[in-house]
């Protein structure tokens, strides 16, 4: 962990005598390297570069692209821009949330998946849009998005279709509201 | 061509290089333009391009026929789009399996592949050439015109079309006063949202006595549903860069910054490449083209905050701090980046500059409406037939844009409203369709131009739900600095949410209107001041819909979940079980081949049954 600042591009620039290094740029570099902003790295950086930890925290929490929690290996994002919204993106997000068993902004317990909503990706012709690991999938519906993610889950977790259904059921069971819980109960 | 290696040291060298590249281009006029914008890449245009490259190689055509992976070609709905030049044959929805046929038929035999042509939705006729398609024919493409002709990663393409000629003319023949005078005479107004005259903005900054000044290009296109700036940066980055350099010269800045939002990684990459190319050629750096003007440009990447589109917040963000707006005055022209005079222009504004210098202010100002000159790019999205980027002269009526260029509403539904100006704008009903798209006219109607998002909505869009959506967006994005914005927006959101759940009253509705006015009048920056617009404009034009939610507990558009229910028509249902298997809540029961039923107490109203029923037996009430 030592000398975090020196390992970063901006850190080097600053040691060369510039005092106005952008904290946003610095945190972007940390995030790029670790996939999130680990607390110990931030503490180390604050100490080495004589920055205020409070200021770091306020910048990190102000901007949407920073995360203080580790993010999943696979990133699933739904676009919630206006064009996507009027074509039903909210239902798509909900369904993805149900299948993955996590809410938007969360990461699955095994660290494999994280789900996010983004404001607008500027590909409105494809609304509603789902992005899985940087790959764009357009004209989604709740059902199509579910199928897409189930396919991904099958591959990444090596499950069969039946096992996957069970898994989803279980997740939904653990993480859902009362009404759906009762529904599950009723079926068994 | 030596200049490409050694760099340009004088004006004549620039003009010589342009001429040489132009000749070279004319010698090889056969090329394929494959759209490489985000929309088309999502449809798979990258694979299409790669396969074309391979196919041209195999057939021995790679010398005679160029292949350009271009920026947005406009008609995103029909992606991936491929245009064959010089004829301008437009092929839509091109898949990898079509490529051999295109090469074989069109390139080798000069025939047209019928099945890949665009079909007019009204007449059903097939159209061969791009410029005959109504979507393009009725536009006036000035800024976007070169997107068809340019590979955005090639500065040579831009130079061959006369690129950087405006910069050459400015540095060689004009004073900064003359440049500002030209921009003022062109009646160009800022394209970022507020529509402040660009010439006046430059004049104010140029008059400031300071050694160091900055010019910032605002590419923090945060409006959801708008992607004009992204397409300009990705499709023709050098035009924006040229505008920025000219702006720097006019206001007396020695440094430019392009602030791009993090959600646009491709744009960041293309702009960085363009800057490196311009530096190498000597179009950026010390004593540009042998003049006394020196200028450098850097890129600053945002980190995701809508409020950073506000100029003072943007400056804070470029500093790397929390992007909170500050009280003005002092204006940025007085105290901006590093406490120096700073001017901030939107991407589209800057892209206009080279055209104004080239065609002259008088000719430019003849395009457009009474008070504002030029064209405006809109991102026409939502429930419209032809989603995409359209560029029209300012002042064109909404109806013409939506129905003639956009091809009307998808799926034969009725038009309900159009939303302009993003979260700060408003919704306009069918009765306002003849309104000209002009800064002042839109403001007077309770909406605004904004950066150019145009979201079309049909009868299945609930206006109360839309107001809720924008309030939620703004509530999330409010920096929290002003009390009325922070608390006001969240209380308004609560009130509108209550309406969508049928838990409101007319008394509370009156309170909502009052609170909206308070938020508008008592916040510091544009986000709060215009934050009530989506609510106020929907109330102004769609009061009846609010009433239906409040008094009758009914959502006429069938969107608000607490006010709708799903049923299966037992006369139609054949018991195929598709809905039962798909229902995530297990709320559908029924024997095979017998009519099914939805148990209302379990239904989460996700609508998957409606989507999955093959015979449309599921109904929404």
């Amino acid at each position: 962990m030592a000398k975090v600042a020196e390992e970063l591009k901006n850190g080097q620039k600053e040691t060369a005598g510039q005092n106005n290094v952008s904290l946003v740029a610095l945190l972007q570099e940390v995030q790029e390297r670790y996939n999130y902003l680990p607390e110990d790295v931030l503490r180390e950086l604050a100490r080495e570069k004589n920055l205020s930890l409070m200021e770091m925290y306020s910048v990190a929490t102000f901007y949407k692209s920073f995360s203080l929690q580790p993010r999943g290996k696979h990133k699933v994002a739904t676009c919630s821009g206006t064009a996507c919204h009027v074509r039903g993106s909210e239902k798509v997000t909900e369904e993805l949330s149900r299948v993955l068993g996590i809410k938007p902004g969360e990461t699955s317990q095994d660290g494999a998946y994280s789900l996010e909503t983004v404001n607008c990706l500027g590909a409105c012709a494809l609304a509603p849009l789902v992005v899985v690991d940087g790959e764009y999938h357009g004209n989604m519906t709740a059902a199509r998005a579910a199928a897409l993610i189930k396919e991904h889950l099958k591959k990444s977790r090596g499950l069969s279709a039946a096992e996957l259904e069970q898994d989803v059921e279980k997740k939904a069971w653990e993480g859902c509201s009362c009404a759906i819980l009762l529904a599950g109960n009723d079926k068994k | 061509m030596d200049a490409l290696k050694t760099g340009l040291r004088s004006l004549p060298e620039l003009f010589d290089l342009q001429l040489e590249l132009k000749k070279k281009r004319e010698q090889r006029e056969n090329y394929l333009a494959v759209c490489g914008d985000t929309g088309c890449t999502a449809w798979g245009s990258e694979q299409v391009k790669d396969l074309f490259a391979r196919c041209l190689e195999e057939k021995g055509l790679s010398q005679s026929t160029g292949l350009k992976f271009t920026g947005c070609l406009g008609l995103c709905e029909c992606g991936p789009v491929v245009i064959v030049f010089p004829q301008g044959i437009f092929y839509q929805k091109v898949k990898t399996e079509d490529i051999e046929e295109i090469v074989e038929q069109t390139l080798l035999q000069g025939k047209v592949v019928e099945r890949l042509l665009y079909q007019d939705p009204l007449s059903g006729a097939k159209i061969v050439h791009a410029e005959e398609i109504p979507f393009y024919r009725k536009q006036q493409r000035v800024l976007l015109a070169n997107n068809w002709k340019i590979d955005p990663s090639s500065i040579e393409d831009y130079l061959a079309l006369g690129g950087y000629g405006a910069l050459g003319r400015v540095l060689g023949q004009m004073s900064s006063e003359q440049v500002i005078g030209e921009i003022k005479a062109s009646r160009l107004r800022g394209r970022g949202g507020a529509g402040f005259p660009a010439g006046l903005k430059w004049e104010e900054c140029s008059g400031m006595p300071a050694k160091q000044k900055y010019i910032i290009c605002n590419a923090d296109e945060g409006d959801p549903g708008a992607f004009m700036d992204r397409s300009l940066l990705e499709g023709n980055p050098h035009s924006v860069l040229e505008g920025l350099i000219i702006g720097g010269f006019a206001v007396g800045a020695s440094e430019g910054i392009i602030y791009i939002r993090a959600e646009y990684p491709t744009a960041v990459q293309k702009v960085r490449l363009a800057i490196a190319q311009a530096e190498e050629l000597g179009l950026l750096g010390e004593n540009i083209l042998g003049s006394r003007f020196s200028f450098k440009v850097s890129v600053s990447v945002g980190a995701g905050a809508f409020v950073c589109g506000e100029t003072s917040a943007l400056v804070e963000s470029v500093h790397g701090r929390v992007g909170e707006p500050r009280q003005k005055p002092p204006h940025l022209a007085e105290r901006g980046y590093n406490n120096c005079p700073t001017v901030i222009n939107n991407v589209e504004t800057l892209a206009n500059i080279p055209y104004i210098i080239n065609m002259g202010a008088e000719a430019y100002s003849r395009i457009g409406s009474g008070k504002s000159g030029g064209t405006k790019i809109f991102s026409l999205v939502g429930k419209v037939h032809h989603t995409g980027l359209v560029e029209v002269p300012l002042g064109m009526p909404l109806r013409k844009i939506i129905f003639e260029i956009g091809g009307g509403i998808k799926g034969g539904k009725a038009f309900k409203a159009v939303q302009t100006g993003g979260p700060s704008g408003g919704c306009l009903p069918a009765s306002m369709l003849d309104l000209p798209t002009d800064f002042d006219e839109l403001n007077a109607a309770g909406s605004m131009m904004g950066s150019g998002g145009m979201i079309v909505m049909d009868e299945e869009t609930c206006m109360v739900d839309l107001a809720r959506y924008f309030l939620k967006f703004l509530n999330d994005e409010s920096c929290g600095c002003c009390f009325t914005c922070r608390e006001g927006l969240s209380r308004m959101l609560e009130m509108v949410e209550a309406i969508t759940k049928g838990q409101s009253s007319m008394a509370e509705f009156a309170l909502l209107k009052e609170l909206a006015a308070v938020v508008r009048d008592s916040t510091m920056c544009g986000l709060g001041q215009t934050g009530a617009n989506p609510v106020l404009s929907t109330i102004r034009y769609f009061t009846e819909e609010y009433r239906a939610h409040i008094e009758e507990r009914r959502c006429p558009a069938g969107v608000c979940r607490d006010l709708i229910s799903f049923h299966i028509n037992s006369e139609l249902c054949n018991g195929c079980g598709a809905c039962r298997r798909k229902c995530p809540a297990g709320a559908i029961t029924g024997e095979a081949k017998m009519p099914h039923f939805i148990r209302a107490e379990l239904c989460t109203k996700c609508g998957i049954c409606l989507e999955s029923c093959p015979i449309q037996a599921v109904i929404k009430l």
Side-chain angles (χ1 to χ4, degrees):
Chain A
M1 196 55 66
K3 300 271 164 76
V4 176
E6 271 180 28
E7 288 177 29
L8 300 167
K9 276 197 300 259
N10 269 301
Q12 280 167 0
K13 234 188 270 165
E14 205 234 14
T15 43
Q18 274 181 22
N19 215 15
N20 57 351
V21 64
S22 153
L23 185 53
V24 169
L26 199 63
L27 293 182
Q28 276 168 340
E29 263 182 66
V30 175
Q31 174 137 317
E32 202 177 307
R33 170 179 272 244
Y34 297 95
N35 206 12
Y36 76 111
L37 302 176
E39 185 181 332
D40 46 358
V41 174
L42 294 191
R43 283 187 185 279
E44 188 64 29
L45 208 56
R47 212 177 46 79
E48 278 177 34
K49 298 171 68 62
N50 206 13
L51 292 165
S52 138
L53 200 61
M54 192 197 80
E55 203 180 322
M56 272 187 166
Y57 184 77
S58 67
V59 169
T61 49
F62 182 84
Y63 292 103
K64 262 206 167 139
S65 65
F66 294 126
S67 168
L68 292 166
Q69 302 298 324
R71 290 200 276 193
K73 208 171 122 207
H74 303 290
K75 290 188 195 70
V76 182
T78 52
C79 180
S80 60
T82 320
C84 287
H85 177 81
V86 300
R87 291 197 196 171
S89 68
E90 256 178 23
K91 285 177 183 166
V92 173
T93 311
E94 250 171 58
E95 182 62 8
L96 287 177
S97 170
R98 191 189 68 86
V99 174
L100 289 168
I102 44 174
K103 291 197 187 76
E106 290 180 350
T107 302
S108 62
Q109 267 181 357
D110 59 357
Y113 288 88
S114 57
L115 179 64
E116 281 165 26
T117 60
V118 284
N119 277 348
C120 182
L121 291 160
C124 309
L126 299 134
L129 186 69
V130 171
V131 186
V132 183
D133 289 337
E135 206 173 302
Y136 287 48
H137 302 271
N139 286 342
M140 281 290 146
T141 59
R144 251 181 261 164
L148 176 79
I149 288 302
K150 281 180 184 168
E151 204 49 45
H152 200 275
L153 279 166
K154 261 196 259 173
K155 269 190 211 140
S156 75
R157 295 201 169 140
L159 299 172
S160 71
E163 283 169 330
L164 182 77
E165 284 305 323
Q166 254 180 357
D167 195 50
V168 171
E169 283 287 307
K170 205 173 122 229
K171 287 266 166 49
W173 171 271
E174 284 161 1
C176 72
S177 68
C178 220
I180 304 179
L181 224 133
L182 280 171
N185 218 352
D186 193 66
K187 260 198 268 178
K188 303 208 166 121
Chain B
M1 292 292 173
D2 291 341
L4 281 176
K5 294 192 194 86
T6 58
L8 299 163
R9 279 157 307 198
S10 67
L11 272 178
E13 279 185 23
L14 168 70
F15 295 130
D16 286 347
L17 179 65
Q18 279 181 336
L19 211 65
E20 268 180 77
L21 289 168
K22 191 176 166 218
K23 269 190 207 147
K24 195 177 144 201
R25 192 188 166 96
E26 280 163 2
Q27 280 160 12
R28 194 172 125 173
E29 55 177 5
N30 296 337
Y31 70 93
L32 294 164
V34 180
C35 181
D37 197 70
T38 313
C40 282
T41 2
W43 297 123
S45 71
E46 199 153 7
Q47 290 88 315
V48 167
K49 176 211 57 169
D50 290 342
L51 207 63
F52 261 127
R54 203 172 341 137
C55 208
L56 291 176
E57 187 83 58
E58 278 168 17
K59 307 264 176 196
L61 291 169
S62 48
Q63 283 304 314
S64 61
T65 310
L67 178 62
K68 292 185 200 298
F69 203 41
T70 67
C72 186
L73 297 176
L75 198 46
C76 309
E77 193 73 34
C78 302
V81 171
V82 175
I83 308 182
V84 185
F85 287 99
Q87 306 94 317
I89 302 169
F90 183 94
Y91 288 133
Q92 62 163 0
K93 298 179 184 164
V94 177
K95 307 238 161 32
T96 43
E97 51 267 30
D98 305 323
I99 288 172
E100 229 180 298
E101 198 176 341
I102 295 179
V103 173
E104 196 67 43
Q105 296 284 324
T106 311
L107 296 186
L108 289 173
Q109 301 180 29
K111 287 189 209 149
V112 170
V113 184
E114 281 280 325
R115 65 184 173 86
L116 295 172
L117 291 178
Y118 170 89
Q119 190 169 15
D120 188 51
L122 294 175
S123 64
K126 296 257 184 179
I127 298 176
V128 179
H129 298 106
E131 60 267 31
E132 288 159 13
I133 296 173
F135 177 82
Y136 292 114
R137 204 181 61 221
K138 297 194 172 162
Q139 295 185 41
Q140 183 167 2
R141 290 163 79 89
V142 177
L143 304 181
L144 292 174
N146 283 346
N147 270 23
W148 295 13
K149 304 173 191 160
I150 281 180
D151 179 341
S153 55
S154 156
I155 192 171
E156 292 160 46
D157 268 7
Y158 186 64
L159 286 165
L161 294 170
Y164 288 105
L167 176 67
R169 189 168 320 151
V170 164
L171 293 181
Q173 302 160 3
M174 293 169 88
S175 67
S176 61
E177 290 78 24
Q178 280 172 315
V179 177
I180 291 172
E182 196 74 357
I183 302 305
K184 272 165 77 179
S186 74
R187 297 184 301 144
L188 172 70
R189 292 175 69 167
R191 301 293 194 244
F196 191 78
L200 286 180
K201 203 183 219 179
W202 283 10
E203 192 173 50
E204 196 187 352
C205 188
S206 131
M208 290 290 159
K211 257 193 164 168
Q212 179 78 35
K213 291 179 197 172
Y214 294 94
I215 178 165
I216 300 180
C217 168
N218 182 354
D220 188 50
E221 190 175 39
D223 280 13
F227 57 102
M228 303 75 51
D229 294 350
R230 178 179 63 70
S231 294
L232 278 172
L233 289 173
E234 289 181 11
N236 195 352
H238 284 290
S239 68
V240 181
L241 195 56
E242 189 180 356
L244 185 69
I245 305 173
I246 295 173
F249 173 79
V251 302
S254 59
E255 223 181 304
I257 299 164
I258 304 182
Y259 181 85
I260 312 181
R261 69 196 284 251
E263 288 88 337
Y264 291 171
T266 319
V268 174
Q269 182 209 337
K270 296 245 164 88
V271 168
R272 285 207 166 120
L273 180 68
I275 293 173
Q277 289 170 336
E279 277 170 354
E280 209 168 302
L281 262 185
L283 294 164
L284 278 173
E286 300 292 318
N287 301 92
I288 298 171
L289 298 173
S291 71
R292 285 163 64 195
F293 176 61
S294 302
F295 192 69
K296 59 178 179 182
V297 175
S298 57
V299 173
S300 175
V301 182
F306 176 69
V307 73
C308 289
E310 201 278 344
T311 50
S312 64
L314 187 147
V315 167
E316 285 301 298
S317 181
V318 176
H319 277 128
R321 299 194 282 258
V322 166
E324 273 178 9
R326 65 160 170 81
Q327 194 70 260
K328 286 181 268 188
H331 287 286
L332 293 170
E334 219 172 304
R335 213 162 77 209
Y337 185 63
N338 281 345
N339 286 326
C340 298
T342 302
V343 61
I344 300 187
N345 289 122
N346 166 267
V347 172
E348 198 183 330
T349 315
L350 291 174
N352 269 295
I353 305 294
Y355 292 97
I356 296 173
I357 302 289
N358 283 334
M359 74 166 77
E362 211 213 350
Y364 181 90
S365 71
R366 273 198 299 260
I367 311 173
S369 64
K371 277 191 201 150
S372 24
T375 59
K376 175 83 195 84
I377 307 177
F378 290 99
S379 73
L380 187 60
V381 300
K383 308 273 184 81
V384 68
H385 219 100
H386 293 144
T387 309
L389 274 194
V390 304
E391 182 176 351
V392 297
L394 275 167
M396 184 184 269
L398 288 165
R399 186 188 301 280
K400 201 167 170 191
I401 301 177
I402 297 166
F403 288 90
E404 293 184 22
I405 295 174
I409 308 297
K410 245 185 170 167
K413 301 256 164 54
F415 171 88
K416 181 167 183 179
V418 55
Q419 208 278 347
T420 62
S424 310
C427 293
L428 301 171
S431 61
M432 307 292 278
L433 271 175
D434 291 311
L435 196 74
T437 46
D438 174 89
F439 291 95
D440 305 316
E441 301 268 0
L442 285 172
N443 276 344
S447 183
M448 66 187 279
M449 180 76 91
S451 59
M454 193 175 271
I455 295 115
V456 179
M457 287 162 278
D458 66 5
E459 53 198 327
E460 285 181 354
T461 314
C462 171
M463 303 317 282
V464 185
D465 176 71
L466 193 79
R468 180 192 63 84
Y469 165 80
F470 280 121
L471 276 176
K472 186 164 175 299
F473 177 88
L474 290 166
N475 189 40
D476 285 348
E477 295 294 339
S478 169
C479 75
C481 188
C482 303
F483 170 78
T484 39
C485 177
R486 184 181 70 235
E487 294 301 321
L489 287 175
S490 61
R491 291 292 87 77
M492 277 163 71
L493 177 61
E494 274 175 20
M495 287 175 178
V496 174
E497 265 174 358
I499 298 177
T500 61
K501 287 180 179 156
Q503 295 166 351
S504 189
S505 64
M506 287 313 280
E508 214 167 293
F509 183 52
L511 198 62
L512 172 67
K513 285 193 264 188
E514 199 182 324
L515 182 55
V518 170
V519 172
R520 183 189 59 200
D521 297 337
S522 60
T523 50
M524 188 172 70
C525 84
L527 188 145
Q529 284 161 9
T530 56
N533 272 355
V535 173
L536 289 172
S537 73
T538 46
I539 291 179
R540 177 165 162 191
Y541 296 114
F542 300 93
T543 310
E544 283 313 306
E545 204 163 336
Y546 277 89
R547 274 180 181 279
H549 281 77
I550 297 165
E551 290 178 341
E552 300 164 37
R553 295 173 44 81
R554 184 173 65 84
C555 175
V559 172
C560 298
R561 268 190 207 198
D562 294 274
L563 307 179
I564 55 168
S565 57
F566 287 86
H567 304 273
I568 295 174
N569 184 343
S570 53
E571 280 171 28
L572 280 177
C573 179
N574 60 11
C576 72
C579 58
R580 177 168 41 85
R581 285 190 295 274
K582 290 246 170 88
C583 177
I588 300 179
T589 51
E591 301 277 315
K593 300 197 177 153
M594 296 292 281
H596 283 41
F597 299 95
I598 297 175
R599 293 172 61 183
E601 73 277 17
L602 297 179
C603 178
T604 59
K605 298 170 189 174
C606 66
I608 289 183
C609 50
L610 190 82
E611 264 172 45
S612 56
C613 180
I615 53 165
Q616 283 87 45
V618 180
I619 37 179
K620 184 165 71 175
L621 291 177

